[in-house]
Amino acid sequence: MSYIEQRRKRRILVVITMLIVVALLAWVNAEHHRHASKQGKRSAHAGDPGTIVIAQANDADTLDPSDVGSADTLNVARMLFGTLYDVSPEGNLQPFLAESYTYSEDGRAIHFKLRSGLACEDGSPLTASDVAYSFQRAANPSNHFTGNASGFLIPSIEYTGVTVEGPLDVTVHTSKYNPIAIGLISELSIMCRVPYEHMSLREASTHPSATGPYKLAEWVHDDRIVLERNPEFKLRTPRYDRVIWRVIPEGSTRTAELLAGDIDLTTGVPPDQIDAVRNSETAKIETVTSTRRIYVGFNMRKKFQDTDGGRAIQDVRVRQALQYAIDVPTVCEALLRTPCQRAATLVVPRNDTSGVPAFPFDPDKAEKLLDAAGYPRGKDGVRFHLRLQAPRTLYGDGNVAQAIGQYLSDIGVDTQVDLLDLSVYVLLTRQHEAGPLFLLGTGGSTWSALYDMSDLSAPNAGTNYTGWHDPAFFAGWKQLEQTKDAAEQQRIMNEMLQEFHAGAPWLMLYFQPDVYGVSNRIHWTPRADENITVY
Amino acid sequence: MIGFVARRLWQSLLVIFGVTLVTFLSMHMGGDPTYLYVNEHASDAEIAATRAALGFDKPLPVQYLRYANGLLHGDMGTSLTYRTPAVDVVLHHFPATLELALFALIVALIFAVPLGILAAMKRGTPLDGGIMLVAMFGQSIPSFWLGIMMILAVGLGLRWLPISGRVPVLDEIFAGNIAEGLANIPHAIPYLIMPGMTIAFFTLARTTRLVRASMLEVLSLDYVRTARSKGLSELRVVGYHAMRNAMLPVVTMLGLEMGFLLSGVVVVETIFSWPGVGRLVYNAINHRDIPLVQTAVILFAVTFLVLNLAVDLLYAQLDPRIRLNG
């Protein structure tokens, strides 16, 4: 075979190969679109006016109404289950399945009047005995629930029992008056007794029987949850026929799916992709200052008192000094790419009437306070050493913690930042062993200052991660139990917040700015309490 | 042969013992594991009761024996997030990972073997240099970067392929719906291409280099020279005589590669939202679901050992000169 013939053969081979590759790509593309449109007919998709597709990082842990806990799970559960009262987007408590409530004279019994005509998913009437069952099931220790209802709500209201007085009348009993009980009870999902009595706990976790606006149509674990309108729910008319929750753990992928038009709404747009969404023609950014407080806790427990920094932070002047060292607006602008204001107390600004100012950025004042507290700079410029522990993947991906470490080092407090995997970090905080400085973000509420303060409900409360035990602050809780007068309650709370500010157990940073990506196809306004409601 | 298998099984048991010990200790590395099982508002009495109920108040050796006894009876603990036996959860996610790994392996082989042979035959030419450059690139770039670039270019820019999601094939086949599983293959391929190519790229690069090196060595041997001198065509010399021996190290590596692909998909599954074991482990770590992580690690270890053993046995079949009882 001549050289020219060989070259011709090779060219033909190359052309044939390229044709095959192009044909394969065309086939793959056609198959994808055919399958997508088939799926569209079967289960609807983004772009269908009756469907909204929402992406979040995590799948639901469980759809057992008594056991839901994580924020992502709660978002789905709120679509499936009604509550006696609920919180409006503006942060007001409003009737939902119940039309009214009344406290008994001693404040230890709360009587709820249910609306008439309520129904379970199977069409049977939803009555007071279903409400009672919902409380009893969540409070039953033999169920070993660890979710929000059993872990927080039931113990917080000091629930002692529930009685049914009629088909629409039910009373919840508590051991003492609690001014925020209605708000807490607004987080308890109401479930129907009959379907759940016939389900094991395992079945109940995956087969929800709805009492809310939507019911479960399909749940493909770690992939999607498809909800469709619950025809038995008549209280409100949902905006969409179908809500599809897609589970996409990686923030960049969620953003890409949003820009590609495959989803309508995504949570947690990464800071470095905010501009990409803003500059796109298909989606926009919606931000809201959330009720989640990001702070650095001072762990004052004995375990840390033998360390250099652990000993220093026992002194309130040191704790106050460190507050002046952080330039919070710059941290937000530079790392979160979103403006945010410095938090003054643990109560969200709309509920805070204490008048307590946020600590301004004033490193000179910080240095003076440290000098006065007996911690002058040494020859190496260091006053003392501290360790700050933080999760690697939350609250700004560890960058915020690094920045704080640098700001503290700038005033002579040599700060070592330990970034830990979330699994390890959460275990440490739960055991109150993170520290002596630790970065944390805990959720407040839109509806009550007292709820926001309940993290510090007692010196030994599980959520008092700092071990702060200021007697004046904690005495406030006793006073609050003894009054039902709103103005008096407000006065006591304000005094407690002033005490909190002076004692400075938390280095308040900011209320977390939540960043959502929203398709131009839909109109949606984010809520400060991180709830995603589309009904 | 029997002696070899028996020895390898014994070694495997030792390895599994080591893996179970490490996974058991991992439960205790972050502190008292009792706190994983209670909510943060639990009282000291509740925490103590849970600790006693789960046996975490016992000495570590006793706890390990209980754990090992559970494993021997197929009890790998209950997932904290799924509230079901951890082994069921992992096995439920396994077909997705196996599907991705098999696809990646097939893609890698389809490209790596011809490229490696071509590079060996054109040694020292620009074509050889080009192939080796791509191989080096494939071994150097991190998979998360490649994955995100593919999403941006192919998924978002060109809109050729779906960015995330999956159409199940093996799940249907394992569930006995063979016809449905096979019918899903054409629909599944568009979803497989980007994550499959992302994890295949590293294997492809490594295998190409190995095929090239192995082929170069074999091509210099006397029997190849003899075959050529007999007047056999180059296609027959390379494709039949040389390739059979050149593939021996590749077969050895493929077993390990399959193990690597199965266990190394955490990042890729997370980026492409692929509902496999890798992503399951990632979520389990974030949710502190230690029993799930332990189960996945043990199952990966067992898969790795089985694959290794299979490769050794296959190796002996391919090359009769190798004696396994040695």
Side-chain angles (χ1 to χ4, degrees), chain A residues 220-481:
Chain A
V220 182
H221 281 283
D222 286 334
D223 187 37
R224 65 185 181 275
I225 297 174
V226 182
L227 309 180
E228 60 187 25
R229 270 189 190 190
N230 176 9
E232 300 300 332
F233 182 81
K234 305 285 194 306
L235 277 181
R236 295 172 187 173
T237 306
R239 257 197 285 170
Y240 296 96
D241 298 327
R242 236 182 231 110
V243 181
I244 301 176
W245 295 87
R246 286 194 53 197
V247 186
I248 305 176
E250 172 60 33
S252 319
T253 313
R254 289 198 300 276
T255 308
E257 289 273 29
L258 174 75
L259 297 180
D262 293 334
I263 56 175
D264 296 306
L265 173 62
T266 175
T267 60
V269 177
D272 59 344
Q273 285 159 32
I274 290 175
D275 287 342
V277 178
R278 279 200 176 120
N279 297 332
S280 78
E281 291 174 359
T282 53
K284 54 190 173 287
I285 288 288
E286 294 279 1
T287 58
V288 66
T289 299
S290 116
T291 53
R292 186 174 296 278
R293 306 148 297 192
I294 307 298
Y295 67 92
V296 172
F298 296 102
N299 196 332
M300 289 171 265
R301 285 189 166 72
K302 199 168 170 37
K303 176 181 176 176
F304 296 101
Q305 289 177 14
D306 293 335
T307 63
D308 193 16
R311 197 164 35 249
I313 61 167
Q314 302 296 320
D315 188 325
V316 68
R317 290 170 297 180
V318 172
R319 297 201 296 271
Q320 287 174 342
L322 301 195
Q323 315 252 2
Y324 287 107
I326 317 292
D327 185 355
V328 172
T330 301
V331 168
C332 293
E333 285 288 351
L335 301 178
L336 307 181
R337 310 271 175 99
T338 311
C340 53
Q341 68 178 67
R342 182 152 199 175
T345 72
L346 67 174
V347 173
V348 300
R350 74 184 294 270
N351 296 332
D352 193 347
T353 57
S354 66
V356 169
F359 284 92
F361 175 53
D362 189 345
D364 292 338
K365 188 164 186 179
E367 299 227 31
K368 281 178 191 153
L369 269 170
L370 289 172
D371 287 339
Y375 293 97
R377 282 184 186 259
K379 283 180 187 165
D380 57 356
V382 173
R383 298 173 187 275
F384 56 87
H385 301 272
L386 257 178
R387 191 181 61 187
L388 166 63
Q389 294 193 313
R392 195 185 299 278
T393 51
L394 277 182
Y395 324 130
D397 284 339
N399 292 331
V400 170
Q402 298 276 18
I404 291 164
Q406 187 56 52
Y407 276 119
L408 296 184
S409 297
D410 288 348
I411 58 162
V413 177
D414 181 42
T415 306
Q416 175 197 328
V417 179
D418 289 351
L419 295 180
L420 304 171
D421 281 332
L422 194 58
S423 53
V424 175
Y425 186 71
V426 170
L427 207 57
L428 281 178
T429 50
R430 279 197 176 188
Q431 294 171 87
H432 299 173
E433 290 192 350
L437 261 56
F438 57 92
L439 185 74
L440 207 60
T442 57
S445 79
T446 48
W447 52 270
S448 164
L450 269 183
Y451 181 98
D452 298 350
M453 293 163 67
S454 62
D455 267 10
L456 298 177
S457 60
N460 61 349
T463 42
N464 182 6
Y465 302 108
T466 62
W468 187 54
H469 51 78
D470 180 78
F473 177 89
F474 290 104
W477 291 110
K478 292 278 175 211
Q479 295 173 37
L480 282 167
E481 283 168 23

Side-chain angles (χ1 to χ4, degrees), chain A residues 175-188:
Chain A
S175 66
K176 66 182 181 197
Y177 167 67
N178 183 331
I180 58 167
I182 302 301
L184 290 167
I185 288 172
S186 76
E187 295 183 6
L188 184 98

Side-chain angles (χ1 to χ4, degrees), chain A residues 21 27-28 41 54 241 246 256 308 359 397 435 473 508 511:
Chain A
V21 169
W27 173 74
V28 160
K41 279 176 200 148
I54 307 168
D241 298 327
R246 286 194 53 197
D308 193 16
F359 284 92
D397 284 339
F473 177 89
M508 295 304 304
F511 287 93

Side-chain angles (χ1 to χ4, degrees), chain A residues 126-278:
Chain A
L126 191 161
T127 66
S129 73
D130 294 311
V131 175
Y133 178 69
S134 305
F135 276 90
Q136 288 159 346
R137 188 172 184 272
N140 186 347
S142 65
N143 287 328
H144 297 291
F145 293 135
T146 55
N148 194 44
S150 54
F152 178 59
L153 189 162
I154 295 284
S156 294
I157 62 170
E158 298 193 27
Y159 164 87
T160 55
V162 61
T163 50
V164 175
E165 285 94 23
L168 301 178
D169 296 279
V170 61
T171 299
V172 178
H173 302 276
T174 61
S175 66
K176 66 182 181 197
Y177 167 67
N178 183 331
I180 58 167
I182 302 301
L184 290 167
I185 288 172
S186 76
E187 295 183 6
L188 184 98
S189 297
I190 300 302
M191 55 205 296
C192 290
R193 179 193 294 270
V194 173
Y196 280 96
E197 272 185 343
H198 292 92
M199 278 193 261
S200 66
L201 289 177
R202 194 170 156 180
E203 285 169 329
S205 68
T206 51
H207 293 80
S209 182
T211 55
Y214 291 94
K215 62 180 185 173
L216 181 68
E218 185 185 23
W219 186 2
V220 182
H221 281 283
D222 286 334
D223 187 37
R224 65 185 181 275
I225 297 174
V226 182
L227 309 180
E228 60 187 25
R229 270 189 190 190
N230 176 9
E232 300 300 332
F233 182 81
K234 305 285 194 306
L235 277 181
R236 295 172 187 173
T237 306
R239 257 197 285 170
Y240 296 96
D241 298 327
R242 236 182 231 110
V243 181
I244 301 176
W245 295 87
R246 286 194 53 197
V247 186
I248 305 176
E250 172 60 33
S252 319
T253 313
R254 289 198 300 276
T255 308
E257 289 273 29
L258 174 75
L259 297 180
D262 293 334
I263 56 175
D264 296 306
L265 173 62
T266 175
T267 60
V269 177
D272 59 344
Q273 285 159 32
I274 290 175
D275 287 342
V277 178
R278 279 200 176 120

